[in-house]
Amino acid sequence: MSDLGFVALTLALAATTYSFFSLGLGLKNGEERLVSSGKKGLHASTALLSLAILALLYSLVTRDFHVEYVASHISGDLALPYTISALWAGQEGVLLFWAYLLSLFASVVVLRDRQRRSPLLPYSVLVMTGTQAFFLMPLIAVANPFRTLDFVLTDGLGMNPLLQHPAMVWHPLMVYLGYVGFTVPLAFTLAVLISGRLKDPYVPIVRPWTLIAWLSLGLGTLLGARWA
């Protein structure tokens, strides 16, 4: 399962990179075909990152201590909710989860724009795919969550006792939803500057994302305060 996860992660970076350059060239040369292909590359990346997330979750739930990330963050007797929350307990898992959320949000933005067809959308997706590639590259180069050990442990090191609190199951999740959610307003703001379409209305597009991200960060802060 670790091999499957790493292959999916590598292919996701390839799809994201293709999407970025396809969108860039399509916008530069005015080729709608390349822009459309770039959007499809984004959806492919989302599907591949979904597979990678499921692979890591499977390794955690089945307690595959051959995987270094699993052995470092859970133990055999750890309760299931905390075992699942170990997905964002370490740097490698956080980067993977962040990249997955970003790809998912970007895909939702593209799908929701089918009727609106905002001219700013390709530029905003260009920004989001570039950001996504930024998170995927260290995952493969230095923070691979699917790295395996040369031996199989009978038990893992376990989770930090400070993290074994109900609020800490949800606090990071809500905070990450907020942080990643704000990427969408940022992407559209940069899209306005890149495209030069300063008069194009984009507030109706980013308003729901801003409110959801703000709400998620607020709830995450309250949960973090309760844990503290």
Side-chain angles (χ1 to χ4, degrees):
M1 187 59 71
S2 59
D3 291 338
L4 176 63
F6 184 72
V7 169
L9 198 57
T10 304
L11 292 176
L13 175 58
T16 301
T17 304
Y18 169 79
S19 179
F20 177 80
F21 283 105
S22 181
L23 285 164
L25 290 173
L27 289 169
K28 180 180 179 181
N29 300 323
E31 295 188 25
E32 181 60 33
R33 179 178 58 85
L34 284 176
V35 173
S36 178
S37 181
K39 294 177 183 177
K40 292 177 181 177
L42 170 64
H43 294 319
S45 177
T46 302
L48 289 164
L49 283 172
S50 299
L51 182 59
I53 281 283
L54 289 174
L56 186 56
L57 276 174
Y58 179 83
S59 297
L60 287 166
V61 172
T62 59
R63 291 168 168 76
D64 183 4
F65 296 122
H66 185 50
V67 178
E68 183 179 350
Y69 185 84
V70 177
S72 299
H73 293 95
I74 69 168
S75 58
D77 59 350
L78 188 66
L80 182 61
Y82 297 123
T83 299
I84 295 174
S85 70
L87 178 66
W88 47 80
Q91 182 186 58
E92 298 89 345
V94 168
L95 285 173
L96 175 59
F97 188 60
W98 195 294
Y100 169 67
L101 285 178
L102 181 55
S103 68
L104 185 64
F105 289 177
S107 288
V108 171
V109 169
V110 171
L111 292 174
R112 290 191 62 185
D113 192 69
R114 285 182 172 178
Q115 293 182 342
R116 190 190 300 269
R117 298 187 66 82
S118 169
L120 294 174
L121 180 77
Y123 295 94
S124 65
V125 176
L126 179 69
V127 173
M128 287 187 278
T129 53
T131 307
Q132 185 174 319
F134 174 80
F135 284 102
L136 288 174
M137 285 187 287
L139 270 170
I140 294 174
V142 295
N144 175 19
F146 300 103
R147 185 184 296 113
T148 56
L149 299 168
D150 296 330
F151 48 87
V152 180
L153 296 174
T154 56
D155 200 359
L157 297 177
M159 179 176 285
N160 187 328
L162 291 175
L163 300 180
Q164 296 182 42
H165 186 282
M168 285 303 291
V169 174
W170 296 102
H171 162 69
L173 176 61
M174 300 306 297
V175 169
Y176 297 149
L177 283 171
Y179 285 151
V180 179
F182 273 121
T183 307
V184 177
L186 171 66
F188 273 92
T189 302
L190 291 177
V192 170
L193 299 176
I194 294 170
S195 65
R197 296 176 174 271
L198 302 180
K199 295 184 179 180
D200 279 18
Y202 70 99
V203 172
I205 301 175
V206 302
R207 183 175 181 273
W209 290 97
T210 305
L211 291 175
I212 292 172
W214 190 268
L215 176 63
S216 296
L217 279 176
L219 291 175
T221 302
L222 291 174
L223 290 169
R226 177 68 183 89
W227 163 74

